[in-house]
Amino acid sequence: MLVELYIENFAIIEQLRLHLGAGLITFTGETGAGKSILIDAVETLLGGRAETTLIRSGADRAYVEGVFLLPKSADSPLIQILNREQLLDDPNQLVLAREIRLNGRNVARVNGRMVNVSLLKEIGEMLIDVHGQSEHLSLLHVSNHIHLLDRYAAVQDLLSAYQHTYRKLLDVRRELAELRQAEREAARRIDTLTYQLNEIEAAHLRSGEEDELLEERNRLANAEELAMLTQQALQALDEGSPEAPSAIDQFGQIVHILGSLARLDSTQSSLKDQAELLFENLSDLSRELRRYLERIEFNPRRLDQVEERLGLIHNLKRKYGATIEAVLSYAEQARRQIETITHAGERIAELEAAENRLLEELGERGMALSQKRHQYAEALASALEAELADLQMSHTRFQVDFKQKPAPDGVPVPDGRRLAFDANGLEKVEFLIAPNPGEGFKPLAKIASGGETSRLMLAIKHVLANADQIPTLIFDEIDQGIGGRVGQVVGSKLWLLAQRHQVLCVTHLPQLAAFGDQHFHVEKRVVADRTITQVFPLEGERRQVELAQMLGEVSEGTLQSAREILQSVAKLTAAG
C-alpha cells in the first residue's frame, strides 16, 4: 500500500508530503481546491502522461515520489517483476519517483534507478487502481471485462490448462507454416542448396589449409631470394674464403686450443666441453641450412597452382563464410536443410495430426472454461445489481455479453461448429448495462457516466474484493449524483472494501467522508501572491467543523448533525 506521497512543484502544489495509513482515507475540500490534482499526481507517478504543463509556473521541474509497502508473498507478480528487473533492494518497501523537466524530458525511477516508463506503468498497475473520471478507468477497457469475470468465477486452473494447450498449438502451427512455406519453395530451394553443397564439397576443403597455402606461396614467390640468403649463410658458416675462413673452421681451432688448455689445467675442462657443444650446434645448423636449400623450389607452375587454390578458397569464403570452418559449417547446414525439405511431407503430416488433436483438446478445455464463465456470469449480474441498488442505481440492470465468432480454422465444438479462439478462450466478454428501464442493454464503456462508472466499479470491487490483488484503490468523486442517505451506504461499502485494501476517496458528502480512518482537508490558498494547494489532516473538533461546513454554514445545528453522522458511523463500523 501507499504509505507516503511527496509532491513538489506539480500544478498548484508547491510542496506536499502525506503520510498514509491502512483502511479508508477520505479527501474533502471546496471545488477547485486541488483534490483532483492529487489524483493526477498519483497517475503521473504510476506511468501516466507527463506533460510540461504540469510543472508549477516559475519552476524548472515537477517531482512526485511514492513509498509503498510490498506484499509479503515472494510469489506475488509484483515481487517477480522486481526480481526479474533486479530492482528489489528492500523486500518490505518500494519507492517510485517521476520527474518532469521543462525541456520535455521526464525521468522515471524505481528504488532510485532509472527505468523506462513502460516498466514503471507495469509496476504501477499492480500497486494502485484509479477509478474516476479519467482515461485510466479500467472498467472502460472492454479487454479487462473477461479478466474481472474470471476472477469472480475463480477459473484460474481451467484457464491455465487452456492456455497451456493454446501455446502448444501455436508452436505446432508456427512450425507447420514454416514447413509449408518451405515446401512451396522446395524445388527452387533444393536446386540452390544442392548447387551450393556440391560447389563446397568439390573443393575438398581442409581446416588449416589456407594458412599452409599462404606459407607455401610465400616460399615459392621468394624462392630466389631465400636461396641466395641461405647460400650466404652457408658461405659464412661452412665454406669460407681465402680471405675469411668459415665460422666452423675458426670454431674448430677454438675447440683445439681449449682442448690443450684443459689438458694443462683440468679445472677448465668445462670450457672445452662448452666449445665442443657449440661446435656440434654449428655443424647441425650447417646441415639444416643445406637441407633447407635443397627444398627451396623454383617452380612457377606450382606457384600458379597455389594461387589458383587460394583464389578458389577466397571465392567460397566470399559466398559462404569468413573462414574455411564457416564454409564447411554452411555446407553442413545446407545438407540438413535438404534433408528437412526432402522429408517435409512426412513432418507436415505429423504436425497436421498434432494440430487436429490439440484443436480438439483446446475445444474441450475452452468449452469447460466457457461453461463456468456463463455459470458465474448470472451470479455476478445478480450480485452487482444488489450492490447497485444500495448505491441508488436500483433500476440499473447488468448483463455479461458473450460473443463467439465462427472460423474455418477454429476449434471444433460439440454442435459441429468451429469457433475462433485466442489466449483467453473461445469468446469475447463485454459488460452491458441498462441504466434506465425500457432502454435495453448497451455497452457499459460507451454509455456509463462518470458517476455511474465509479459506482459500478465500487460495486464490482466490493463483489470481487476477495480475488482482487491490487492493494490500493482510488475513487475520485464516487458520490457524484447521489444524496446523503446513499452517501452513507457508499461510505459503508468503501469502509468494508478498505478492510482488504487501502482505499483513497475524494468526496463532497459528509456522510461518506465520516467513514474515513484518515480524513484530509484540501485547501487552496494565496501566499505571497501565488496560489498553492495545502492538505491538512483532520481529527476531533476540526473534523466535526469540516463535516459541518460540508452540510452548510457552520452552526450549532450543522455541528450537531456532524456529531450525529460520526456517531452513526462509529456504530456501523463497530458492528463490522
Side-chain angles (χ1 to χ4, degrees):
M1 70 175 187
L2 179 62
V3 294
E4 185 175 323
L5 179 65
Y6 176 75
I7 305 171
E8 181 182 329
N9 293 326
F10 189 95
I12 57 173
I13 298 176
E14 184 177 34
Q15 192 175 61
L16 174 65
R17 188 181 300 274
L18 295 178
H19 296 278
L20 307 171
L24 176 60
I25 303 165
T26 54
F27 294 86
T28 59
E30 297 292 332
T31 300
K35 300 185 297 299
S36 294
I37 294 175
L38 289 173
I39 307 300
D40 292 342
V42 171
E43 290 186 328
T44 302
L45 177 65
L46 300 177
R49 293 183 65 181
E51 299 177 347
T52 55
T53 54
L54 296 172
I55 300 174
R56 178 173 166 79
S57 177
D60 58 3
R61 66 157 200 164
Y63 183 77
V64 185
E65 180 180 285
V67 180
F68 298 82
L69 291 182
L70 288 171
K72 295 180 180 179
S73 171
D75 295 330
S76 76
L78 176 59
I79 298 297
Q80 290 177 10
I81 289 175
L82 294 174
N83 280 323
R84 180 193 76 197
E85 302 293 335
Q86 298 182 335
L87 294 170
L88 187 62
D89 294 338
D90 184 338
N92 301 311
Q93 181 175 284
L94 174 69
V95 180
L96 303 186
R98 192 84 181 273
E99 182 180 342
I100 312 167
R101 299 174 182 172
L102 270 180
N103 61 11
R105 184 173 179 232
N106 70 85
V107 178
R109 290 188 177 88
V110 176
N111 282 337
R113 292 192 284 281
M114 289 180 61
V115 299
N116 58 48
V117 175
S118 60
L119 176 58
L120 181 70
K121 186 175 292 187
E122 183 182 6
I123 293 171
E125 287 174 349
M126 297 186 178
L127 292 168
I128 298 180
D129 202 359
V130 180
H131 306 294
Q133 301 176 57
S134 77
E135 62 184 1
H136 303 292
L137 183 61
S138 59
L139 192 57
L140 297 182
H141 299 301
V142 176
S143 59
N144 287 333
H145 294 180
I146 194 168
H147 304 305
L148 291 169
L149 174 61
D150 284 352
R151 290 214 301 273
Y152 181 75
V155 298
Q156 188 53 49
D157 290 344
L158 287 174
L159 182 60
S160 295
Y162 171 89
Q163 290 177 337
H164 176 70
T165 303
Y166 174 80
R167 288 190 293 271
K168 288 170 64 177
L169 178 61
L170 289 187
D171 291 339
V172 167
R173 285 189 162 179
R174 189 178 300 111
E175 186 178 353
L176 259 176
E178 291 172 357
L179 284 175
R180 285 169 177 159
Q181 179 66 22
E183 191 178 44
R184 285 191 291 270
E185 300 176 356
R188 180 180 60 81
R189 184 64 177 154
I190 284 181
D191 285 346
T192 301
L193 289 170
T194 302
Y195 171 81
Q196 293 172 338
L197 183 59
N198 289 340
E199 185 179 28
I200 295 171
E201 288 182 339
H204 300 292
L205 296 175
R206 180 170 51 83
S207 182
E209 177 184 6
E210 187 176 19
D211 290 338
E212 295 173 8
L213 288 169
L214 288 170
E215 290 175 1
E216 185 179 0
R217 183 181 68 176
N218 185 57
R219 289 194 301 273
L220 288 167
N222 297 286
E224 185 176 348
E225 186 174 359
L226 290 172
M228 181 188 69
L229 292 171
T230 305
Q231 287 170 345
Q232 287 176 356
L234 282 168
Q235 180 77 22
L237 181 65
D238 195 16
E239 297 172 0
S241 66
E243 297 80 16
S246 69
I248 289 177
D249 287 343
Q250 293 186 52
F251 217 85
Q253 292 179 14
I254 295 171
V255 170
H256 177 73
I257 293 169
L258 290 178
S260 299
L261 176 67
R263 283 194 296 273
L264 296 172
D265 184 356
S266 61
T267 61
Q268 300 303 313
S269 59
S270 62
L271 291 176
K272 175 183 73 71
D273 294 340
Q274 291 180 44
E276 288 176 345
L277 179 61
L278 288 171
F279 183 79
E280 290 175 8
N281 288 340
L282 286 174
S283 298
D284 289 343
L285 177 59
S286 175
R287 285 191 292 273
E288 287 295 324
L289 282 171
R290 291 190 184 281
R291 281 196 288 268
Y292 176 68
L293 182 60
E294 290 170 0
R295 293 198 305 271
I296 295 174
E297 187 178 7
F298 294 90
N299 191 340
R301 184 178 177 186
R302 176 56 185 166
L303 179 58
D304 290 341
Q305 291 174 346
V306 170
E307 293 283 9
E308 184 179 346
R309 181 66 175 172
L310 285 170
L312 173 63
I313 293 173
H314 175 75
N315 187 47
L316 292 174
K317 285 167 55 180
R318 180 178 57 81
K319 291 181 179 179
Y320 306 119
T323 63
I324 286 179
E325 289 74 15
V327 174
L328 293 172
S329 176
Y330 184 92
E332 182 59 32
Q333 291 174 17
R335 190 177 293 109
R336 285 199 298 268
Q337 287 184 47
I338 291 171
E339 291 174 1
T340 300
I341 295 172
T342 304
H343 299 290
E346 299 171 11
R347 181 59 179 159
I348 286 174
E350 293 175 6
L351 290 172
E352 285 176 342
E355 180 186 28
N356 289 331
R357 288 194 303 272
L358 288 170
L359 280 169
E360 290 179 4
E361 181 180 327
L362 196 67
E364 292 171 2
R365 290 183 167 177
M367 286 301 294
L369 182 60
S370 183
Q371 286 170 6
K372 191 164 185 182
R373 284 171 175 162
H374 278 79
Q375 174 187 346
Y376 278 85
E378 293 185 11
L380 176 62
S382 298
L384 285 175
E385 287 175 1
E387 293 287 334
L388 292 171
D390 291 340
L391 297 172
Q392 206 177 31
M393 294 176 70
S394 58
H395 296 297
T396 300
R397 294 292 173 261
F398 182 91
Q399 184 181 87
V400 180
D401 182 48
F402 293 88
K403 284 189 173 65
Q404 294 180 329
K405 183 180 178 182
D409 60 346
V411 298
V413 292
D415 62 8
R417 293 180 300 153
R418 282 187 173 270
L419 298 177
F421 61 93
D422 60 19
N424 294 316
L426 311 183
E427 62 262 318
K428 301 292 184 185
V429 170
E430 183 172 9
F431 292 164
L432 308 179
I433 61 168
N436 302 305
E439 292 297 319
F441 287 96
K442 295 179 182 177
L444 179 154
K446 293 183 179 178
I447 70 167
S449 67
E452 287 172 334
T453 51
S454 290
R455 278 179 278 171
L456 276 165
M457 184 50 76
L458 173 59
I460 289 173
K461 288 293 180 182
H462 201 262
V463 170
L464 300 178
N466 288 325
D468 204 321
Q469 300 295 315
I470 300 176
T472 300
L473 310 176
I474 297 178
F475 292 90
D476 186 12
E477 299 190 6
I478 197 171
D479 51 15
Q480 181 179 331
I482 62 176
R485 184 180 62 82
V486 178
Q488 187 174 56
V489 175
V490 173
S492 175
K493 290 186 180 296
L494 284 173
W495 185 84
L496 289 171
L497 188 59
Q499 304 312 297
R500 296 185 178 90
H501 305 266
Q502 181 191 46
V503 178
L504 280 64
C505 178
V506 174
T507 180
H508 293 284
L509 285 177
Q511 291 86 352
L512 194 162
F515 277 90
D517 297 296
Q518 281 182 283
H519 186 167
F520 290 95
H521 173 69
V522 182
E523 181 176 297
K524 184 164 64 177
R525 291 183 176 181
V526 177
V527 177
D529 296 327
R530 295 294 304 276
T531 301
I532 61 171
T533 288
Q534 296 180 322
V535 181
F536 306 97
L538 298 177
E539 293 179 349
E541 186 176 341
R542 291 183 64 191
R543 190 179 190 191
Q544 290 182 22
V545 171
E546 174 72 4
L547 296 177
Q549 285 180 330
M550 296 172 74
L551 289 165
E553 293 291 331
V554 176
S555 65
E556 185 53 43
T558 55
L559 285 170
Q560 179 60 32
S561 296
R563 286 190 287 269
E564 291 173 357
I565 290 172
L566 288 170
Q567 290 168 3
S568 174
V569 166
K571 290 180 182 178
L572 286 170
T573 54

